[in-house]
Amino acid sequence: MGFKVAVVGATGNVGREMLNILEERGFPVDEVVALASRRSLGTEVSFGDKTLKVKVLDTYDFSDTDICIMSAGGNISKEWSPKIGKQGCVVIDNSSAFRYDQDVPLIVPEVNPDAISGFTKKNIIANPNCSTAQLVVALKPLHDAATIKRIVVATYQSVSGAGKEGMDELFTQTRAVFVADPVEAKKFTKRIAFNVIPHIDVFMEDGSTKEEWKMVAETKKMLDPKIKLSATCVRVPVFIGHSEAVNIEFDKPITADEARDILREAPGCLVIDKREDGGYATPLDSAGEDATYISRIREDQTVDNGLSMWIVSDNLRKGAALNAVQIAELLVERGLISPKKKAA
Ligand SMILES: NC(=O)c1ccc[n+]([C@@H]2O[C@H](COP(=O)([O-])OP(=O)(O)OC[C@H]3O[C@@H](n4cnc5c(N)ncnc54)[C@H](OP(=O)(O)O)[C@@H]3O)[C@@H](O)[C@H]2O)c1
């Protein structure tokens, strides 16, 4: 018997990718239910060669659903995830609503799979922010080898990280520039077409943004609370794929060659690092792929035991949907969930 899985936010960027990945990876489902807001009632979404009619979250009964993958934003998750969890359905939540809750595990399966057992307190498991997911996949094996003390990271985040409205805005503005129409900024704070914006999410009291704070808090929760991290998060006019320029200071010596060898063997990582034209990964290369790509690995001579590198991944896949499905797979592999009896 397979599982009954609900995808909330099934009409969104991440939700559609969720449906693709559940199907691609052959997750053992008996039934998949696509849920969204009232606006989408009856809309059709694809699941493999099937078409699913979207149902409304507000009126859906979760009592015979085994797993709910939530991807409809923080406010919806805050309201719904605890109620769904109480109905005995395990929630894998893509929003930031529960990531910092001590009773909710925050999981990247390549990094901290054992922490998943803590999900039973609330029946909720959190998926990290897209920029943090790819960062910790690449840094975990290096931390195990040489103990990371401090990270300085600048991100180059694609517009799909801001949902389908973000993608529409880049498309519309780019077109408007070419045909000399007025350019309107609605989703982003300034024009994103042919520009970059050093501001993602709201400002915090210390001058950092919430997106930057999330990278600090989530890296500490998943990798090591002793790691210091300074982030600058930037939105760039790329449709899919987040990139990161990362400087890492280690406690123990580690050479670029050693790091390359470690990363070549590491789960979820793909090293593309030739010191020649095009010998590195770009966001376009990562779009539609599962791997976290690591390029430009080199020693940083300005600190003791320092390395610099470039990390790229598809934010809708490893940054969201793929990681969520991997969490569901981990629940099954570890025997932490079994299908509920369904009404005949
Ligand atoms: N994009 C990324 O890279 C990324 C990475 C990690 C995490 N996330 C998180 O994933 C979530 C979704 O992101 P996205 O990029 O897929 O956004 P999106 O493209 O804007 O899609 C939002 C989805 O939420 C649904 N929704 C909105 N209000 C709802 C309601 N009241 N009840 C039920 N469903 C509702 C929408 O349904 P309608 O079509 O009916 O409005 C749509 O399916 C967010 O929490 C985001 O922070 C995104």
Side-chain angles (χ1 to χ4, degrees), residues 246-312:
V246 192
N247 298 89
I248 315 150
E249 211 179 321
F250 295 88
D251 191 31
K252 298 178 204 133
I254 180 167
T255 65
D257 283 343
E258 284 165 346
R260 219 172 277 115
D261 288 346
I262 290 167
L263 290 168
R264 279 204 182 100
E265 300 300 317
C269 295
L270 194 61
V271 175
I272 298 191
D273 195 17
K274 289 194 180 145
R275 294 176 176 180
E276 61 187 39
D277 293 355
Y280 37 79
T282 64
L284 201 54
D285 301 318
S286 78
E289 301 293 330
D290 288 351
T292 293
Y293 293 85
I294 303 121
S295 306
R296 304 284 328 277
I297 303 168
R298 61 212 190 271
E299 281 139 39
D300 175 359
Q301 308 294 354
T302 65
V303 289
D304 290 338
N305 311 327
L307 289 178
S308 299
M309 61 190 64
W310 174 249
I311 301 173
V312 182

Side-chain angles (χ1 to χ4, degrees), residues 8-15 36-37 39-40 57 71-74 76 94-95 99 128 130 160-161 163-164 315-316 319-320:
V8 178
T11 53
N13 271 344
V14 175
S37 77
R39 290 179 291 273
S40 300
L57 168 66
S71 192
I76 308 293
N94 255 297
S95 79
R99 287 181 195 151
C130 35
S160 57
K164 53 191 178 196
N315 52 295
L316 299 178

Side-chain angles (χ1 to χ4, degrees), residues 154-159 170 173 188-200 232-238 243 283 310:
T155 69
Y156 303 72
Q157 297 182 220
S158 68
V159 293
L170 175 58
Q173 288 184 354
F188 299 113
T189 51
K190 294 204 175 198
R191 184 175 117 179
I192 187 65
F194 307 100
N195 201 9
V196 299
I197 305 174
H199 172 193
I200 301 179
T232 302
C233 292
V234 181
R235 187 73 70 195
V236 298
V238 164
S243 309
W310 174 249

Side-chain angles (χ1 to χ4, degrees), residues 8-16 18 35-41 43 54 56-58 70-74 76-77 80 93-96 99 127-131 158-166 187 214 242 314-317 319-321:
V8 178
T11 53
N13 271 344
V14 175
R16 284 176 193 269
M18 227 47 113
L35 300 171
S37 77
R38 283 181 190 280
R39 290 179 291 273
S40 300
L41 179 64
T43 306
V54 174
V56 177
L57 168 66
D58 297 5
M70 284 289 278
S71 192
I76 308 293
S77 185
W80 282 93
D93 182 33
N94 255 297
S95 79
S96 59
R99 287 181 195 151
N127 210 32
N129 179 265
C130 35
S131 323
S158 68
V159 293
S160 57
K164 53 191 178 196
E165 288 174 8
K187 179 75 183 169
K214 285 176 196 167
H242 287 359
D314 181 330
N315 52 295
L316 299 178
R317 290 178 78 91

